[in-house]
Amino acid sequence: MTSIVRLASNANPICGATLVIILAAMVVEGANTPAAAALLSGALLATLFVSILTLPSSVMGQILASNRVPAAAATAFVVLAALSAAPLQSPDLAARFAHPLAPAFQWLRPSMSLAPTNTIEGLIAFLGPLTAFVLGALASLRHSRSVVSAWLCALTVVYALYALSQYFAGQADARLDAHIGSANAAAALFGALAIFACARVIGKAGPRNGPERAPRHMPRALNWVAASLRAPLATAAFALAVACALLTASRGGLAATGIGFGAFVGLLALRASGARRTLILAPALALGALGLWFIAMGADPVLGRFGDVGAALEGRQELLAPHWQAFLSRPLLGHGLNTFHDLNAMAITPDNWDSLRIVGAAHNIYVQALEETGVIGLALFVLMVAPPLWRALESAVMDKSAPHWSAALYGASLLFLVHGVMDFTLQIPAIAALFAFCLGAFSNPAVRQHRQQNGSF
């Protein structure tokens, strides 16, 4: 109750509004349709517009200044995608850049994209995560990362309870999918949320919340245990997120969660020494042990699914083969953003019918990005994400205070990126928006600089 009261007293309207919108999008199947994705982008853009009106004019300048490379890459990507969907009026341009299938389709005004309408829909959906990143940076500027994480834990509790209610009410399949259409994606999502919840518990175990704030009856050697007592919302969020991740019975999702959590703890171990090592690592290891206990108690469904790993890998290879060939046929520019379904329909043969007939994604975000946007598009994606992740890694290793936020961001990002090799989690608009929001909130170096120069606002 104390955490809820404190969260209300430190109300961050930017953070609260953004996460409520993303939560609503998750409930509506992850906003995984063109109309829902457009609504998500529109709602986030409206929130950003209102936020800009209520904040000092220098704030956006600070955010853009600290994200020059991602901003330039995002602008270039949007421009390139828009141009690929535009009809090529000049015969010379059409001859050089039009999609190779344009003559077969007898287009009067060919374009670079195989399906211009789909590309426009994909571009609108892409604006959602792009806006969420800026809103995350604004939210962390408005208050502290701790307040942002409190809102994130509140979202985790509400969404986990919703997912569990759906699962136990019999409105879900045998595997929990949290109504986003994929149990594997749900596993990665809840794994990332568990890492951020663990970071909040660690924050309550730091030196500023040390012995003087521990319960009087608790021995000094066990002061770190008080972290969970100071962060009941985060502790509940962690337990619920781990339980939901386990009920997905996702082999890849749970394995990626283990990798992400290992990176998170490893970065903390690099920074910790002596008594500080106990304060920082003990809560993480304790919560990690709790997660392992959950897995041990309910591992049968997961272990049972390891029996068909070979068949699953064979099916994935059969799915990826034609899409890799699609990339090789147009390696630089790709076939156009959001053209996977068109490429997949053309790649279906009697031999691969079972693997390709009902899929909605390539189950590999890198291969799908390459076939849709080419090497140039994937390079721009890397330039959007790499600088914030590098800042997070640098902060986790070098910052003198609160390295747990950056370590959590790095661990959760590694989780999503590793899981992207085998599934399509980040291609679900609501999850991509949440990831982008966290990337902006926990990697932006302008948080400390703004407060030093202008004070809290």
Side-chain angles (χ1 to χ4, degrees):
M1 180 62 69
T2 303
S3 296
I4 297 175
V5 172
R6 189 172 299 159
L7 177 60
S9 63
N10 290 316
N12 185 335
I14 297 174
C15 183
T18 304
L19 291 180
V20 166
I21 291 170
I22 293 174
L23 173 62
M26 287 181 183
V27 172
V28 188
E29 298 182 351
N32 204 20
T33 63
L39 285 174
L40 173 61
S41 296
L44 291 175
L45 283 168
T47 304
L48 177 60
F49 178 73
V50 174
S51 301
I52 292 175
L53 293 179
T54 60
L55 294 177
S57 58
S58 61
V59 172
M60 284 302 299
Q62 282 187 283
I63 293 175
L64 290 175
S66 59
N67 292 281
R68 294 185 185 90
V69 174
T75 302
F77 183 86
V78 169
V79 171
L80 183 62
L83 289 176
S84 71
L88 297 170
Q89 305 288 351
S90 168
D92 293 336
L93 291 176
R96 294 186 61 183
F97 297 106
H99 193 275
L101 292 178
F105 291 152
Q106 297 182 349
W107 287 341
L108 295 177
R109 294 178 179 176
S111 64
M112 291 187 288
S113 172
L114 173 63
T117 302
N118 290 354
T119 295
I120 293 172
E121 291 176 351
L123 184 57
I124 294 172
F126 173 72
L127 294 178
L130 198 62
T131 307
F133 175 85
V134 181
L135 286 167
L138 287 174
S140 63
L141 280 167
R142 182 80 179 187
H143 285 282
S144 68
R145 296 176 179 181
S146 179
V147 174
V148 174
S149 73
W151 278 104
L152 195 59
C153 287
L155 174 143
T156 302
V157 170
V158 172
Y159 186 56
L161 291 175
Y162 167 78
L164 290 171
S165 69
Q166 292 287 305
Y167 179 79
F168 288 112
Q171 298 176 15
D173 295 330
R175 298 168 61 195
L176 182 145
D177 69 355
H179 208 56
I180 57 175
S182 169
N184 297 328
L189 171 61
F190 282 115
L193 292 173
I195 291 176
F196 283 115
C198 184
R200 180 163 178 80
V201 174
I202 291 174
K204 296 297 182 179
R208 294 180 180 178
N209 299 290
E212 69 281 359
R213 295 189 59 184
R216 294 181 180 179
H217 63 276
M218 184 170 291
R220 183 177 293 270
L222 296 178
N223 281 338
W224 60 269
V225 178
S228 293
L229 302 179
R230 299 191 195 103
L233 183 65
T235 303
F238 179 86
L240 288 169
V242 171
C244 288
L246 181 59
L247 288 173
T248 65
S250 171
R251 299 159 297 196
L254 292 174
T257 297
I259 293 172
F261 192 83
F264 168 58
V265 175
L267 287 173
L268 293 178
L270 289 176
R271 296 294 313 279
S273 61
R276 182 174 174 81
R277 182 186 294 268
T278 301
L279 284 172
I280 291 180
L281 289 183
L285 295 177
L287 291 178
L290 176 64
L292 290 175
W293 181 76
F294 276 17
I295 293 174
M297 293 297 292
D300 289 345
V302 181
L303 295 176
R305 297 189 68 242
F306 276 94
D308 64 344
V309 169
L313 290 176
E314 184 178 348
R316 293 291 170 87
Q317 290 174 351
E318 194 173 65
L319 167 62
L320 287 176
H323 291 283
W324 180 253
Q325 291 302 317
F327 156 64
L328 294 179
S329 68
R330 196 168 167 83
L332 285 180
L333 295 174
H335 296 269
L337 181 65
N338 196 34
T339 56
F340 168 83
H341 293 285
D342 304 271
L343 294 168
N344 191 68
M346 291 189 296
I348 293 178
T349 67
D351 294 331
N352 61 26
W353 168 258
D354 286 339
S355 297
L356 272 65
R357 63 188 177 91
I358 58 173
V359 296
H363 289 265
N364 184 307
I365 61 174
Y366 307 104
V367 170
Q368 187 164 336
L370 283 170
E371 72 171 341
E372 290 186 353
T373 62
V375 174
I376 295 175
L378 183 60
L380 292 174
F381 273 124
V382 171
L383 291 175
M384 286 181 242
V385 176
L389 286 181
W390 176 257
R391 287 201 304 265
L393 180 61
E394 188 179 36
S395 175
V397 175
M398 302 295 293
D399 272 7
K400 295 182 180 179
S401 63
H404 49 285
W405 300 125
S406 299
L409 173 62
Y410 193 81
S413 301
L414 185 63
L415 186 165
F416 282 129
L417 295 175
V418 168
H419 195 240
V421 175
M422 62 194 86
D423 228 300
F424 55 90
T425 304
L426 287 179
Q427 287 167 335
I428 296 177
I431 298 179
L434 182 64
F435 170 65
F437 175 84
C438 294
L439 195 63
F442 297 113
S443 72
N444 201 314
V447 174
R448 183 175 58 254
Q449 295 170 5
H450 182 86
R451 291 190 166 179
Q452 287 175 347
Q453 294 170 7
N454 301 317
S456 179
F457 55 89

